[in-house]
Amino acid sequence: MAPSEGPAEGSLMAVLTLEAPPEPPRPPARPSPLALARYAWHQLTSMRTALLLLFLLALAAVPGSLLPQRGVNPLQVGEFFRRHPTLAPLLDRFSLFDVFAAPWFAAIYLLLVVSLAGCALPRTVQHVTTLRARPPAPPRNLSRLPAYERWETDAEPAAVLAAARRVLRGWRVDGHPSSARTPPALAAERGHLRTTGNLLFHLALLVLLAGVAIGGLFGYRGTVLVKEGEGFANALSQYDNFRPGRVFRPTALTPFAFVLDDFRATYQEAGPTRGAPRTFDARVRYRDAPDGPLRPYDIRVNHPLRIGAAKVYLIGHGYAPRVRVTDGRGAVVFDAAVPFLPQDANFTSNGVVKVPDARPEQLGFSGFFTPTTVPSPRGLTSAFPAARNPALVLLAWSGDLGLDSGIPQSVYTLDTDKLTRRATRALGVGDRWQLPDGLGTVTFTGHTEWATFQVTYDPGKRLALVAALLVVAGLLLSLSVRRRRVWVRADRTEGGRTVVEIAGVARTGGVGVGLEVRDLARRIRAATSSRAHPEGE
Amino acid sequence: MPVDPGLSTWSDTLLFAAVVAYALAMVAHAAELAFAGRAPVRRAPRVASAVLAGAGGPPVVATVPASPAPERRGTVVGRLAIALTALGWAAHLASAVTRGLAAGRVPWGNMYEFSSMVALLAVTAYLVLAARRAAGGLGVFVLLPVVLLLGLAGTVLYVPAGPLVPALDSYWIKIHVAAAIVAAGTFTVAAVATVLYLVRAGYDTGRARGASAATARGLGRLLPTAEALDCTAYRTIAFAFPVWTFAIIAGAIWAEAAWGRYWGWDPKETWSFVSWVVYAGYLHARTTAGWRGGRAALVALVGFAALVFNFFGVNLWITGLHSYAGL
Ligand code: HEM
């Protein structure tokens, strides 16, 4: 991208050439390291490379939407591995389940960032000097330009040019007095704002990427499930799932805590969309310092709780049936609400209850909860998401829960390797179930609701937002302003009249300047026409 | 707010009326194209592209289209075609308004409504171009996808008017989705102009190779000049691209408010990104030697394909946050 100076006077080809831009430099014949490096840099910052990298980036993003991604939905990734046991590890080797964190994805966008910086920064410097430069001198033969008008008038050339200057208000105008060979002329240019916008756009893009990077490095995101009546304090150990940024430090955790007092969901009661969610509402009390006062807040969808630089979002909810278990000795060994995970839109929810303290044998239960229970051909099912008629169906197991094996277990699945299947039963609220063989009794005492919250902290967010808005501003400037040049020349003919020529070119990939040149011509004519010469078309 | 069934029925009826008007307009546009006759204008191509060695800045190549398509404003059929299109547009607009009133919210809360709005905006973009006399010969080809989309919307995608699910119940839906609709509608017209450009350019190439008029593709003869079509395609994309950029940013702001992160590579976000990057590629390609013309046009069509996939493919085949199955 060699800086090009204003063209030599009268050279049409310098103003307007029909060839392609200059070829990129060839690889040096006898490569010295420096020459090679310069060649590589030229290649990297060329338009062609930028184009190629843009397409590569678009292409690289596609598998990230077609294959399940760990960062988006880890459960689906597990499911994919189960269904494609041979294919999945192969895909995994190429990071295809972490496309947006993959080294090859990073390589593409880092190259693009370098190319962008290497392209935009020098152009910015150049543009600053251009802003003060004079418009290029008129080419000799104006009639060869894409937009051209010509007329004759009785006004003096100087008067015509003075009028043209007035008409060209808002343009950057440069006068060219007559010389031995050329008549006097004006050169005018307009639309530098386009280049300014273009550069603003590209530079803002760099800042946007910086904002994204800052968030990715220093931020964090975690999710936690909280039952009604229980609380959460912002510490690593409290999270069910935590994704720190690359250089995150636990001291970055804002010290806050909250208690979930009440969760409420309402649903469409009638009509074709019956059962569709209407509102979700998590009433919490929170404190933003360890010894601060408790304050109430309603966390809703689209209405997060802001604490310092962190934000708490409501992202999910479900039911936790409450179960009391008395073991074979008659001791109450379990009495708690257990979160079950919703399986469908009507909140039929699956879960397990583990009772390691039961004697003579440990007890485990797998089952499902239906908030509005109705019979179905395959047993019980839920017909509405609200808890109108809850029921709990349990399958009882006894034996060794395997909790001492040292392998961490999910709280939502039962390891049935060393368990014996005993019996199954559907329970309404208050129902008591006598287990066989004197194993004990189970009572379904009711339910509470739970909500999942996501806590995020992203220190690059604000920068990214400002940059994104500048990106749009730059685009608007650059795609709406047209950069164009106009030349006016006035020549005295033998007959004592003045031949006025006006011509223009646009350097925008859009419409030409034909209309504008015609309009300028009309206005200059109007400004110079004497009453004696009503100018007809 | 309860749904007003009377208004909702009105909305459906008006949409049907719009489709009928569009279909009739299409016939009129086609008749105009076929019979009003476009004199096969073959003037020497004016300066098609030019490199301006500017004072500073890289040599930027500019495409300078010659004069726009010769407008046939006179033909009766042509005026009838525009009138029918405008009539259909008015009914279409009224359908959207009554739908919104019926449900007590903006009328773009689900796929059916979104499709209808995109079609409405495509027709709007067409009418704006027509008012500026830059839409010559485009009528049939814009109305064809519009009618198809509305047919699809009225049958497969149709859902009765109802309130929004909580995840969508935010003022950002007004901003983000409205911008996406404007961009998608305008991109549709741009894609039509781009396809026609390729057809016309193919016809011109055939002519230049000396193919007889019979072997050169017939449709190309009826179309505006390649320069004019290219110019229309560029201008519509240059309008739609910043709007699309804004739509994506507004979506990110909304995602930040709703889900706690402004960008999470959800399939919808990924495909928006893909289409945005490809359209950025198109704007670059137009100024890159060896890419101008046909290749840049293909890039624009790839961008549009990504946009279409983002709407149909992602909504119907891929589950993500944007499917709002649960909370
Ligand atoms: C992340 C990468 C990039 C993106 C998303 C991008 C996007 C865009 C877009 C959307 C435009 C058209 C809007 C405008 O004129 O402002 C544009 C124009 C332009 N870009 Fe980029 N760009 C990128 C990288 C680059 C690089 C690396 C270069 C340097 C070779 C470059 C050079 C240019 C130039 C010279 C124009 C002006 C073209 C014209 O006059 O229409 N861009 N870019």
Side-chain angles (χ1 to χ4, degrees):
Chain A
M1 252 182 250
S4 33
E5 282 307 312
E9 165 124 7
S11 144
L12 174 68
M13 291 313 269
V15 183
L16 176 70
T17 52
L18 293 169
E19 318 128 48
E23 284 289 305
R26 304 190 159 281
R30 227 178 317 123
S32 73
L34 185 70
L36 260 185
R38 280 183 56 179
Y39 170 71
W41 178 250
H42 259 288
Q43 288 295 310
L44 182 61
T45 55
S46 76
M47 201 74 168
R48 200 173 297 266
T49 309
L51 197 56
L52 212 70
L53 288 171
L54 280 174
F55 294 148
L56 266 180
L57 190 68
L59 200 63
V62 171
S65 78
L66 302 180
L67 290 169
Q69 297 293 301
R70 287 206 179 86
V72 179
N73 198 334
L75 291 178
Q76 273 183 3
V77 177
E79 181 63 28
F80 192 91
F81 266 79
R82 219 164 306 127
R83 266 189 289 144
H84 307 278
T86 44
L87 181 62
L90 193 70
L91 296 178
D92 203 18
R93 180 130 8 121
F94 296 103
S95 307
L96 284 166
F97 300 108
D98 298 289
V99 164
F100 305 107
W104 46 268
F105 194 80
I108 297 172
Y109 77 67
L110 284 179
L111 277 177
L112 202 48
V113 167
V114 173
S115 171
L116 185 54
C119 174
L121 294 174
R123 283 207 301 136
T124 308
V125 175
Q126 234 175 54
H127 183 56
V128 172
T129 47
T130 310
L131 281 177
R132 271 170 285 150
R134 302 162 62 193
R140 186 163 309 156
N141 193 348
L142 288 180
S143 66
R144 286 180 57 192
L145 294 180
Y148 175 74
E149 297 277 317
R150 177 184 186 282
W151 72 92
E152 288 186 13
T153 171
D154 285 334
E156 293 288 321
V160 171
L161 293 184
R165 241 181 220 280
R166 283 195 301 277
V167 168
L168 286 167
R169 242 203 3 236
W171 291 63
R172 189 185 306 267
V173 181
D174 191 27
H176 291 266
S178 59
S179 70
R181 284 179 304 135
T182 53
L186 288 184
E189 184 163 20
R190 188 167 206 183
H192 281 298
L193 218 50
R194 172 187 169 80
T195 315
T196 310
N198 178 292
L199 290 171
L200 175 65
F201 166 80
H202 284 86
L203 293 175
L205 215 52
L206 282 174
V207 178
L208 174 63
L209 292 173
V212 173
I214 289 173
L217 287 175
F218 299 99
Y220 65 81
R221 171 144 51 102
T223 53
V224 59
L225 182 151
V226 182
K227 286 182 280 182
E228 281 173 324
E230 300 195 348
F232 167 81
N234 196 18
L236 275 187
S237 60
Q238 294 251 330
Y239 283 101
D240 299 330
N241 181 318
F242 191 77
R243 304 182 139 257
R246 265 162 229 256
V247 295
F248 162 83
R249 300 233 181 77
T251 49
L253 289 174
T254 321
F256 70 85
F258 67 83
V259 180
L260 175 62
D261 287 328
D262 188 16
F263 177 84
R264 276 187 210 167
T266 59
Y267 304 93
Q268 192 72 24
E269 292 288 341
T273 52
R274 179 171 187 272
R278 298 272 287 124
T279 62
F280 302 111
D281 199 340
R283 308 213 168 142
V284 301
R285 276 170 300 141
Y286 73 98
R287 54 166 56 102
D288 48 15
D291 47 0
L294 274 176
R295 274 178 275 211
Y297 192 84
D298 257 10
I299 306 181
R300 297 189 300 269
V301 180
N302 291 325
H303 187 243
L305 166 64
R306 256 166 231 272
I307 303 176
K311 277 186 175 183
V312 184
Y313 296 84
L314 173 63
I315 60 166
H317 73 116
Y319 292 100
R322 186 184 294 283
V323 181
R324 185 165 63 230
V325 179
T326 314
D327 71 358
R329 300 166 302 172
V332 175
V333 283
F334 189 90
D335 189 2
V338 188
F340 275 35
L341 298 181
Q343 304 298 310
D344 62 25
N346 285 326
F347 279 77
T348 302
S349 309
N350 288 356
V352 303
V353 180
K354 298 180 188 184
V355 191
D357 297 335
R359 299 290 176 272
E361 284 184 276
Q362 291 186 331
L363 292 175
F365 303 88
S366 56
F368 63 92
F369 172 87
T370 45
T372 297
T373 312
V374 291
S376 86
R378 286 177 292 115
L380 298 180
T381 186
S382 176
F384 195 74
R388 300 276 158 77
N389 177 25
L392 180 63
V393 176
L394 288 181
L395 170 59
W397 305 73
S398 71
D400 181 358
L401 289 170
L403 294 178
D404 306 325
S405 64
I407 304 167
Q409 269 194 17
S410 159
V411 293
Y412 299 108
T413 54
L414 213 52
D415 178 0
T416 54
D417 281 356
K418 296 182 201 152
L419 291 175
T420 315
R421 197 180 161 130
R422 290 296 188 161
T424 178
R425 175 68 66 91
L427 303 168
V429 176
D431 285 357
R432 185 155 163 272
W433 176 26
Q434 185 84 44
L435 296 174
D437 302 330
L439 288 169
T441 60
V442 182
T443 313
F444 173 35
T445 57
H447 72 273
T448 60
E449 295 190 53
W450 53 261
T452 38
F453 296 95
Q454 174 165 281
V455 181
T456 60
Y457 167 65
D458 184 343
K461 208 158 62 182
R462 193 147 304 164
L463 184 65
L465 177 62
V466 171
L469 296 177
L470 289 177
V471 161
V472 176
L475 265 183
L476 284 176
L477 277 184
S478 134
L479 291 177
S480 63
V481 175
R482 290 174 310 127
R483 179 134 174 222
R484 62 261 192 222
R485 290 176 185 153
V486 164
W487 294 274
V488 186
R489 181 177 285 148
D491 197 5
R492 198 90 216 187
T493 59
E494 323 280 82
R497 301 199 77 197
T498 301
V499 174
V500 187
E501 289 177 294
I502 177 167
V505 291
R507 49 184 296 181
T508 306
V511 278
V513 285
L515 279 180
E516 188 164 21
V517 165
R518 232 171 295 156
D519 180 57
L520 287 171
R522 190 184 49 73
R523 284 162 56 200
I524 297 171
R525 275 173 96 159
T528 50
S529 71
S530 58
R531 251 127 275 134
H533 289 268
E535 305 281 338
E537 277 301 316
Chain B
M1 179 165 171
V3 173
D4 183 331
L7 274 176
S8 169
T9 311
W10 264 107
S11 168
D12 298 351
T13 311
L14 282 163
L15 190 69
F16 183 74
V19 172
V20 172
Y22 287 155
L24 291 175
M26 226 162 90
V27 175
H29 277 301
E32 185 206 16
L33 199 62
F35 304 126
R38 170 176 301 281
V41 194
R42 291 307 305 161
R43 54 178 122 62
R46 293 286 293 269
V47 182
S49 63
V51 177
L52 273 179
V60 175
V61 186
T63 311
V64 186
S67 51
E71 251 328 302
R72 303 141 294 164
R73 63 182 90 171
T75 71
V76 177
V77 191
R79 264 183 279 163
L80 178 69
I82 292 285
L84 281 169
T85 312
L87 193 70
W89 179 83
H92 197 165
L93 181 67
S95 161
V97 170
T98 44
R99 176 92 176 182
L101 290 175
R105 57 174 172 77
V106 290
W108 48 80
N110 51 49
M111 248 181 114
Y112 161 70
E113 294 168 358
F114 189 86
S115 306
S116 172
M117 291 299 296
V118 168
L120 179 64
L121 261 292
V123 179
T124 310
Y126 168 75
L127 288 174
V128 169
L129 285 177
R132 297 180 175 193
R133 314 213 159 275
L138 249 60
V140 193
F141 307 100
V142 170
L143 287 180
L144 183 68
V146 161
V147 168
L148 287 178
L149 183 60
L150 288 178
L152 197 68
T155 52
V156 181
L157 305 174
Y158 185 79
V159 289
L164 292 172
V165 295
L168 288 180
D169 197 1
S170 151
Y171 62 85
W172 281 106
I173 192 176
K174 299 193 181 100
I175 299 165
H176 163 66
V177 185
I181 287 168
V182 172
T186 316
F187 275 136
T188 306
V189 174
V192 169
T194 309
V195 170
L196 296 183
Y197 163 77
L198 287 172
V199 170
R200 174 74 204 211
Y203 167 80
D204 289 347
T205 316
R207 289 275 298 235
R209 285 222 197 87
S212 73
T215 52
R217 265 168 285 172
L219 181 58
R221 190 174 50 85
L222 301 171
L223 295 174
T225 61
E227 286 91 343
L229 287 166
D230 184 47
C231 172
T232 304
Y234 172 77
R235 285 208 302 188
T236 38
I237 291 178
F239 173 80
F241 186 76
V243 180
W244 182 227
T245 309
F246 174 75
I248 295 176
I249 291 169
I253 297 174
W254 186 10
E256 201 273 333
W259 304 320
R261 84 290 184 290
Y262 59 85
W263 197 265
W265 297 111
D266 170 83
K268 200 88 181 176
E269 293 166 348
T270 305
W271 279 95
S272 302
F273 173 80
V274 169
S275 63
W276 188 83
V277 166
V278 174
Y279 275 117
Y282 163 81
L283 292 171
H284 277 192
R286 282 186 67 90
T287 60
T288 307
W291 281 82
R292 244 161 290 135
R295 275 217 227 175
L298 287 178
V299 174
L301 290 182
V302 171
F304 187 67
L307 203 72
V308 170
F309 183 79
N310 196 11
F311 183 51
F312 289 107
V314 173
N315 280 21
L316 301 177
W317 300 327
I318 303 179
T319 55
L321 285 170
H322 278 82
S323 49
Y324 310 112
L327 169 55

